Each structure stands twice: as C-alpha cells, then as structure tokens.
Amino acid sequence: MSESNAYRLNSKEVARATEEWMTRRGVSKGQIGQLVMLLQKDYFPELTLDECIANVEAVLSKREVQNAVLTGIQLDMLAEERKLLPPLQNMIENDEGLYGCDEVLALSIVNVYGSIGFTNFGFIDKFKPGVLKKLNEKNGKDVHTFLDDIVGAIAAAASSRIAHRKQAEREEKEEAVLPGDGSGEE
C-alpha cells in the first residue's frame, strides 16, 4: 500500500464522534461529573463540579477511552436492533450477569489512570447512582449493557485523576514550605 493510500483517521473526528454518540445515548459530561463528585467529595470537600467535569473531559480526550466508548455504544445499538448472533444477542440485550465483557471493556478505561480507579469503579458499578441508574433500567427498548459500565469507568478514571493531581498539589505545597533542600545546609 502506498503512503497516499494509507489509512488515516483524524483524532478530532474520533473525539467529536465520541461526544456526539454519548449525547445521543443520553449521557452528558455534567452527569458523569456528578458521579465524580459523589466519589471524591469526602476526600476533597473543596472540589467543584466544574473541576470534576474538567477531569471527565481530560479522560475523554484519551484515544483509548474514545475507542472503548465507541465500541461499547455500537454493541449496545446492535443489540437494540437485534443484529447480534445468539446467544450473544440475548446476553447483551438482557445484561446477563455472567457476561463480563462489558466490565472488561470498561476496565480498559480505568487502567488509563491507575489502581485507585478500580475501587471507584467497583463501588459505582455496584450502587449505580445518578445517570447509571437510568442507564441500567430495562425498558424493553434501550440497551445500555456496555454504556453503563463505560460511564462508570469514565467517572472512576476521572476520580483517580483527581486523587493523583491533588496529591501532587499537596506535595508541591509541602515542598514550598520546607526551608532549603532538606540537606540541612542553607
């Protein structure tokens, strides 16, 4: 294949499609930011919703995250259209308890920001607060088997990102207060 015929996909197009499809599926950055706030408010009482949303946007800016979002949404849509082969169709359509591929895909998002995200993801996946409750409802029409876990993973990753950044900020402040370089010499 010559260089002129090489496959190229514009990263901005992937980011735009990710945001568009999340919106079409009923999920906003603000709703995910509210989940982040829920996960982090006890640790960082000064945290604002705007800061949470900024961290959600940072997570969503990662191509690996965009890939997971687009893949999960596509699988949910195919299940809604009944275009998957059995028994996969029934497993995804009914969010089968023993079908764990939805969580595995979501964990690829959590992995981007480290192990703190795993505990946050487990918590939020179990209790399904906010928009996750809505996504997890079975109305016989909409399928969100992948999307509910993906949204939870984005919130967990953004929470982990906040925890890491707040720790770095705290360390920078502590270092600024300490006189000298710590060697005892001025």
Side-chain angles (χ1 to χ4, degrees):
M1 179 180 271
S2 71
E3 185 62 32
S4 63
N5 292 332
Y7 167 78
R8 290 184 196 95
L9 182 60
N10 184 298
S11 292
K12 289 179 183 176
E13 175 64 20
V14 176
R16 185 202 57 74
T18 300
E19 186 167 346
E20 177 184 329
W21 279 105
M22 286 184 63
T23 300
R24 283 187 186 189
R25 301 297 288 179
V27 178
S28 71
K29 292 176 189 175
Q31 290 170 313
I32 301 172
Q34 290 170 350
L35 297 173
V36 175
M37 182 70 91
L38 173 74
L39 289 168
Q40 292 299 307
K41 68 181 178 186
D42 291 342
Y43 304 103
F44 308 107
E46 75 286 356
L47 190 65
T48 66
L49 182 58
D50 286 342
E51 192 175 359
C52 292
I53 293 169
N55 280 276
V56 167
E57 289 171 342
V59 169
L60 285 169
S61 73
K62 300 285 189 184
R63 182 67 176 267
E64 183 175 348
V65 173
Q66 296 164 1
N67 292 343
V69 171
L70 292 173
T71 300
I73 287 173
Q74 183 69 67
L75 288 167
D76 284 345
M77 290 172 62
L78 288 170
E80 284 175 358
E81 296 168 9
R82 305 201 48 80
K83 290 187 176 176
L84 300 172
L85 299 174
L88 185 61
Q89 174 64 43
N90 290 331
M91 288 187 281
I92 294 176
E93 184 177 25
N94 294 292
D95 201 359
E96 163 77 40
L98 295 177
Y99 180 79
C101 295
D102 49 338
E103 280 88 3
V104 171
L105 183 62
L107 288 174
S108 71
I109 295 170
V110 173
N111 281 336
V112 173
Y113 287 98
S115 61
I116 294 171
F118 280 97
T119 56
N120 283 324
F121 177 69
F123 173 81
I124 211 160
D125 188 47
K126 175 135 177 90
F127 292 104
K128 305 229 185 270
V131 69
L132 296 180
K133 182 177 182 181
K134 182 187 113 190
L135 291 174
N136 207 43
E137 291 173 354
K138 310 291 184 271
N139 63 13
K141 181 179 130 236
D142 300 316
V143 175
H144 299 296
T145 298
F146 283 87
L147 187 58
D148 75 319
D149 293 314
I150 285 168
V151 169
I154 293 166
S159 296
S160 181
R161 186 176 191 277
I162 288 169
H164 286 284
R165 292 185 182 272
K166 293 289 186 183
Q167 177 66 26
E169 288 172 12
R170 188 173 21 247
E171 290 171 2
E172 285 176 17
K173 285 178 185 174
E174 289 170 1
E175 288 173 6
V177 172
L178 295 174
D181 63 3
S183 67
E185 298 175 21
E186 294 290 321

